[in-house]
């Protein structure tokens, strides 16, 4: 399956993002903030979404003692890839963990992988981009990937996350074999939050 070409020019509306099927989280945040402002959101500030230049970043220590004034997001950390530390296949990318194909995909938009390092990219068999290059996905069971996500949150003024786990993945649950991987992701989240000054 060939994915649509990734466009570099700014998008004009959120619906255009979903139509592209390939979008970065950074681009989604920028576009969402812009559309909310244009929609006339009373008192809405784009300041939390503004990305500071690396040399101007301020290390802001956040307190985890209160929620007031904080922007927190849900963080599942549930994506897995064939060949990652979990060894569980394409969980949450595909409805069939050991196989990924157009008819098994369980996500709406292909992530923009350009900022991920080689060690964070997992080639997806049978999928290429419009330019013929190999399509890739990321695994949440990777400390570098989780840290990258938290760095993006820091850059865009997102204060932290609610880490979500499902009971079926816990010891005694129907998917207890996933627990070691879930525990690693929890540790990656804790470490990344400490390194980036985010709460969780």
């Amino acid at each position: 399956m060939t994915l649509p070409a990734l466009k570099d020019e700014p998008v004009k509306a959120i619906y255009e993002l979903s139509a592209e099927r390939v979008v970065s989280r950074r681009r989604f945040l920028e576009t969402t903030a812009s559309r909310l402002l244009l929609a006339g959101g009373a008192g809405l500030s784009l300041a939390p979404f503004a990305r500071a230049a690396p040399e101007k970043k301020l290390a802001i220590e956040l307190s985890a003692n209160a929620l007031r004034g904080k922007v927190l997001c849900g963080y599942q950390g549930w994506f897995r890839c064939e060949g990652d530390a979990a060894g569980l296949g394409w969980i949450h990318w595909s409805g069939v963990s050991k196989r990924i194909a157009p008819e098994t995909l369980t996500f709406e938009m292909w992530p923009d992988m350009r900022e991920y390092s080689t060690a964070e990219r997992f080639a997806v068999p049978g999928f290429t981009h419009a330019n013929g290059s190999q399509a890739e996905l990321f695994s949440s069971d990777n400390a570098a990937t989780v840290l990258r996500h938290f760095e993006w949150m820091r850059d865009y003024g997102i204060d932290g996350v609610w880490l979500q786990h499902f009971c079926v993945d816990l010891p005694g649950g129907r998917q207890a074999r996933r627990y070691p991987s879930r525990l690693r992701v929890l540790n990656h989240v804790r470490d990344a939050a400490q390194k980036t000054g985010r709460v969780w």
Side-chain angles (χ1 to χ4, degrees):
M1 179 177 184
T2 301
L3 303 174
L6 185 65
K7 299 175 183 177
D8 289 321
E9 67 271 11
V11 292
K12 296 178 182 176
I14 294 172
Y15 71 84
E16 291 176 345
L17 287 175
S18 59
E20 285 182 38
R21 194 164 169 83
V22 179
V23 64
S24 68
R25 292 176 185 191
R26 175 171 299 145
R27 195 157 150 208
F28 180 81
L29 281 173
E30 290 170 346
T31 304
T32 302
S34 300
R35 298 312 295 173
L36 288 173
L37 185 64
L38 291 175
L44 178 69
S45 169
L46 288 182
F49 297 93
R51 185 173 189 216
E55 64 274 12
K56 295 181 180 177
K57 283 181 186 169
L58 299 176
I60 300 172
E61 190 67 31
L62 297 172
S63 168
N65 296 328
L67 297 177
R68 185 179 298 275
K70 288 186 174 65
V71 176
L72 299 177
C73 296
Y75 192 83
Q76 285 84 13
W78 61 15
F79 291 108
R80 303 292 183 271
C81 293
E82 191 68 47
D84 68 5
L88 300 171
W90 301 100
I91 292 179
H92 282 283
W93 293 117
S94 173
V96 182
S97 64
K98 292 301 181 183
R99 182 173 73 90
I100 190 165
E103 66 273 11
T104 70
L105 297 181
T106 56
F107 58 103
E108 292 78 32
M109 291 183 276
W110 203 280
D112 180 352
M113 297 294 295
R114 291 179 294 182
E115 293 187 50
Y116 290 82
S117 68
T118 302
E120 298 172 77
R121 300 173 181 217
F122 294 85
V124 184
F127 287 83
T128 57
H129 291 289
N131 64 4
S133 64
Q134 176 65 58
E136 299 164 316
L137 292 170
F138 67 85
S139 170
S140 303
D141 195 347
N142 185 312
T145 296
V146 175
L147 178 59
R148 184 175 306 283
H149 295 164
F150 274 74
E151 289 171 342
W152 288 344
M153 288 182 238
R154 178 196 60 205
D155 293 351
Y156 286 101
I158 296 174
D159 300 313
V161 302
W162 301 102
L163 178 63
Q164 301 169 10
H165 281 183
F166 295 99
C167 293
V168 295
D169 295 341
L170 299 176
R174 289 185 291 111
Q175 299 288 347
R177 66 193 178 97
R178 297 181 182 181
Y179 181 67
S181 179
R182 283 291 195 174
L183 191 57
R184 279 193 301 274
V185 172
L186 184 149
N187 290 327
H188 296 335
V189 165
R190 182 195 61 215
D191 294 344
Q194 290 175 348
K195 289 177 181 175
T196 59
R198 303 303 90 190
V199 299
W200 69 289

